Amino acid sequence: MTQTEIFEKKTEKQKKSIVKSGLVLSLMTFASRIMGLLREMTKASFLGTSMHADAFSTAFMIPNLFRRLFAENAISVAFIPTFKSYLEKDDSSENRNSTQEFLKATFTLVSFLTACVVVIGIIITPLLMPLFCKKPTDTTTADYAMQLQAWLLKKDEITILTRIMFPYLFVISIAAFFQGILNGCKIFAPSGFTPVLFNAIVIIATYVLAPFTENPARAMSIGVILGGCVQAFFQWPFVRKTGWKICFTSLKKTFSNPGTKKVISLVVPTIIGMAAYQLNDVVSTSLANRAGDGIASSLQYSLRLQELILGIFAVSIGTVILPDLSGLASSQKWEDFNKMLIQAIKIMTLISIPVTVYSLITGKELISLLYKSKSFDDDSVALTLGEFRFHIMGLLFIALNRIISPAFYAQGNTKLPTLAGIISFGANIVLALVFVRPFGGNGIALALTLASFVNTLFLFIFMKKLDSFKIRKVVFQTLGYILKMAVYSIIAAIPCYFVHSLLVKFFAENSRIVSYGIPVILTALLFAVIGIAELIITKDEIIHTIIQKVKSKKG
């Protein structure tokens, strides 16, 4: 066998490994979304859209903000590339020792900094409460005393829950560090499975501990800490199998280590862009809490349902397409690159527009089926439904962003999609401030949808800056296919709307699964049959390609 054949065989194995890893991660992501939805269903069952539900959503957001900003950002942007640069050097004992010292220093750095943030956070938590709880100021109203008491209860509950969950930042940062080591060693499955474990632990803890705590929100908060610990401990044996030792070193060695210096230099600039993204959550949660009780939690219920729908197809397609786009970009096959991009955009459009229209028809039944309980009553359903309708209208734009951004990354360009994201998040904050007063939670959901549209718009605008994109071809084919799928979906929706109304009336007064589940399933089947028939009759290129592949496999 020649050297060329050996190289080609090795390359082919690497490609298969990448695809296999991508599929595994996609399955893990989907499982995590399912478990995340079950966690939200548990929260809905115990807390509904009560003050305690808002308090939990707000309290969990605060340590989660620091986790995304520092732990995940530092590991993905700075630690993994630096760790890989050590691994790619020669296998001498000197290099192995320097790699080991780098891991010790990084582990010490992560532990020390997050411990400091946790301690400071627990101390200053009461000072943060004015951001999320607006004290009633009109002393002339008849119910001022009740408003003041409700404000004090909510403020105190958010403070307690935040202090319970702040240590989650420490354990999840350690878990992220372990994930960085495993991913650097090309081991992905254990880290991909940990979010599933986390959600399972939170659900179990809520059911087990709720009878013994003052309210279920505190049981759920304890579950968050336990889940974070499990995420770290579960990965520990896999890290040990890599042969690398995880232990502390002195702070002097930590901050003087060349590797940790490089990590710090890489991560600090990205914090600015990430801060703009994460500030969005803070502002939205603050506005939701000020808009009224139940809005902060109902927004989370709505977003979780949207994320599940999105995660079924967008994450998988985005994961699979990036390696292929990168390969075409590296070989400068721009004609094939643009064809693949357009095809991926059309697949996203083919799925997301019909799903959006279907969700607008059956939204009430979907929310009732998943969340409705004694704590999550008809008022909670109505509150969540209004926000879900605005959230789901942004599904197409979010899905397209998951496809178009990798097209920039494949060419080594991260600045333009990051800039589009920052503009989008700025737009979201401004629009949320404008819409929250007249529309409440619906206004916050509408702002997010419009901001997602802004993100998509600027990604298309920024395509002009790179000669590799056939901008006119991409834009015209995208707009044409969007219009086509919108027309098809509306045609399919008309009979489904009337049939759905009859089904809801017919199956009313039964159990929750029968009353809401059967209309949802039967409407989906009818909608799918009409939609597929439209695509086959008009010889749609995507469905035609799928049919041809099925026929060729059978042959």
Side-chain angles (χ1 to χ4, degrees):
M1 187 178 288
T2 64
Q3 289 294 324
T4 304
E5 289 174 334
I6 293 171
F7 176 77
E8 287 177 353
K9 192 173 182 181
K10 186 178 179 182
T11 304
E12 188 63 29
K13 284 183 178 179
Q14 287 175 342
K15 284 181 179 179
K16 287 181 179 179
S17 176
I18 290 169
V19 172
K20 185 179 178 182
S21 300
L23 290 173
V24 168
L25 287 175
S26 295
L27 289 172
M28 293 294 183
T29 301
F30 178 61
S32 175
R33 293 288 170 88
I34 294 291
M35 292 302 297
L37 178 64
L38 291 175
R39 188 188 77 202
E40 290 300 302
M41 291 169 67
T42 303
K43 187 173 79 171
S45 177
F46 280 91
L47 302 174
T49 52
S50 63
M51 176 274 289
H52 289 107
D54 286 351
F56 177 84
S57 297
T58 304
F60 187 42
M61 182 272 300
I62 295 172
N64 229 16
L65 168 70
F66 287 101
R67 172 183 70 86
R68 291 170 180 169
L69 190 58
F70 295 109
E72 289 183 357
N73 187 35
I75 296 302
S76 61
V77 173
F79 173 74
I80 292 178
T82 307
F83 181 45
K84 281 187 174 180
S85 69
Y86 276 95
L87 295 178
E88 288 167 0
K89 293 178 183 177
D90 59 86
D91 197 28
S92 64
S93 58
E94 183 181 351
N95 181 56
R96 187 167 180 83
N97 289 336
S98 63
T99 306
Q100 184 64 72
E101 288 302 315
F102 165 66
L103 291 178
K104 288 181 182 179
T106 306
F107 180 64
T108 306
L109 180 71
V110 170
S111 303
F112 174 72
L113 292 181
T114 53
C116 290
V117 172
V118 167
V119 171
I120 294 169
I122 290 172
I123 293 170
I124 69 168
T125 290
L127 302 178
L128 303 176
M129 291 308 103
L131 291 172
F132 307 105
C133 296
K134 185 180 179 182
K135 185 177 181 180
T137 54
D138 191 355
T139 58
T140 61
T141 57
D143 60 346
Y144 173 74
M146 291 180 62
Q147 290 179 12
L148 185 62
Q149 185 180 14
W151 171 76
L152 286 170
L153 286 171
K154 188 172 185 178
K155 180 175 72 71
D156 290 345
E157 191 62 31
I158 295 176
T159 301
I160 291 168
L161 296 179
T162 304
R163 283 176 163 170
I164 291 173
M165 287 189 281
F166 230 121
Y168 170 72
L169 171 64
F170 178 82
V171 292
I172 200 61
S173 297
I174 301 300
F177 173 68
F178 289 164
Q179 179 179 347
I181 294 175
L182 293 174
N183 289 1
C185 296
K186 298 181 181 180
I187 302 170
F188 301 99
S191 304
F193 186 63
T194 55
V196 178
L197 283 175
F198 169 78
N199 287 314
I201 295 296
V202 173
I203 293 167
I204 293 168
T206 305
Y207 278 97
V208 172
L209 300 177
F212 306 102
T213 53
E214 190 166 327
N215 59 68
R218 298 188 185 182
M220 210 163 194
S221 299
I222 295 169
V224 168
I225 293 297
L226 294 175
C229 292
V230 168
Q231 282 185 280
F233 285 122
F234 178 78
Q235 294 178 92
W236 169 245
F238 297 96
V239 173
R240 288 189 66 183
K241 285 183 180 180
T242 64
W244 299 109
K245 295 179 182 178
I246 306 302
C247 53
F248 293 106
T249 188
S250 67
L251 288 177
K252 183 179 179 180
K253 288 183 178 179
T254 295
F255 288 101
S256 61
N257 186 279
T260 54
K261 284 182 179 180
K262 186 178 179 181
V263 167
I264 294 169
S265 67
L266 286 171
V267 78
V268 169
T270 63
I271 288 177
I272 299 171
M274 287 291 292
Y277 177 88
Q278 298 304 330
L279 184 62
N280 178 60
D281 270 354
V282 176
V283 173
S284 296
T285 305
S286 175
L287 291 173
N289 277 295
R290 290 166 180 265
D293 287 340
I295 292 178
S297 52
S298 60
L299 283 167
Q300 289 301 312
Y301 294 129
S302 173
L303 281 170
R304 179 60 64 180
L305 181 53
Q306 185 200 45
E307 285 174 3
L308 173 67
I309 295 168
L310 189 68
I312 292 172
F313 59 91
V315 173
S316 300
I317 296 172
T319 302
V320 171
I321 193 177
L322 182 55
D324 290 334
L325 286 176
S326 298
L328 293 172
S330 63
S331 57
Q332 296 188 347
K333 295 179 179 178
W334 300 121
E335 190 67 32
D336 293 336
F337 179 93
N338 282 274
K339 282 181 181 179
M340 178 171 283
L341 176 61
I342 291 169
Q343 187 178 41
I345 288 173
K346 286 183 176 180
I347 292 171
M348 283 295 194
T349 305
L350 174 66
I351 299 170
S352 57
I353 291 182
V355 167
T356 298
V357 175
Y358 166 78
S359 298
L360 290 172
I361 296 172
T362 62
K364 183 178 180 180
E365 287 67 43
L366 280 169
I367 291 167
S368 299
L369 176 64
L370 294 172
Y371 297 131
K372 196 172 183 182
S373 62
K374 289 181 180 179
S375 298
F376 200 97
D377 55 17
D378 289 333
D379 291 336
S380 299
V381 171
L383 188 63
T384 307
L385 177 61
E387 294 157 356
F388 177 68
R389 283 173 173 163
F390 283 106
H391 275 146
I392 202 66
M393 286 192 288
L395 185 69
L396 171 64
F397 307 121
I398 298 171
L400 290 182
N401 295 340
R402 298 284 179 91
I403 288 297
I404 300 171
S405 291
F408 285 90
Y409 300 148
Q411 301 175 64
N413 189 312
T414 59
K415 291 182 180 178
L416 292 176
T418 301
L419 179 58
I422 292 172
I423 294 169
S424 167
F425 299 131
N428 189 23
I429 291 172
V430 172
L431 291 169
L433 288 167
V434 171
F435 291 143
V436 68
R437 186 174 292 275
F439 304 118
N442 292 353
I444 297 173
L446 174 61
L448 182 59
T449 289
L450 293 175
S452 299
F453 167 73
V454 169
N455 196 354
T456 307
L457 179 64
F458 273 92
L459 284 174
F460 276 112
I461 291 171
F462 290 156
M463 282 185 185
K464 292 182 179 180
K465 295 182 177 292
L466 299 177
D467 295 333
S468 54
F469 288 109
K470 305 295 183 183
I471 181 67
R472 289 176 63 86
K473 186 177 180 180
V474 173
V475 170
F476 283 126
Q477 291 207 29
T478 299
L479 291 176
Y481 204 74
I482 288 173
L483 179 61
K484 175 182 172 180
M485 292 313 304
V487 172
Y488 285 8
S489 298
I490 292 169
I491 292 171
I494 294 171
C496 288
Y497 175 80
F498 293 105
V499 171
H500 171 259
S501 299
L502 294 173
L503 289 171
V504 170
K505 289 178 183 178
F506 184 80
F507 289 103
E509 306 303 326
N510 287 290
S511 65
R512 188 174 77 174
I513 292 176
V514 174
S515 296
Y516 306 120
I518 293 180
V520 163
I521 293 170
L522 293 180
T523 304
L525 289 173
L526 177 60
F527 192 89
V529 168
I530 297 172
I532 292 170
E534 288 176 314
L535 294 170
I536 293 173
I537 291 168
T538 57
K539 297 181 180 179
D540 177 81
E541 60 181 290
I542 302 296
I543 201 75
H544 179 71
T545 302
I546 293 170
I547 291 170
Q548 290 301 316
K549 285 187 177 181
V550 170
K551 284 182 178 179
S552 64
K553 283 185 178 180
K554 285 183 178 179

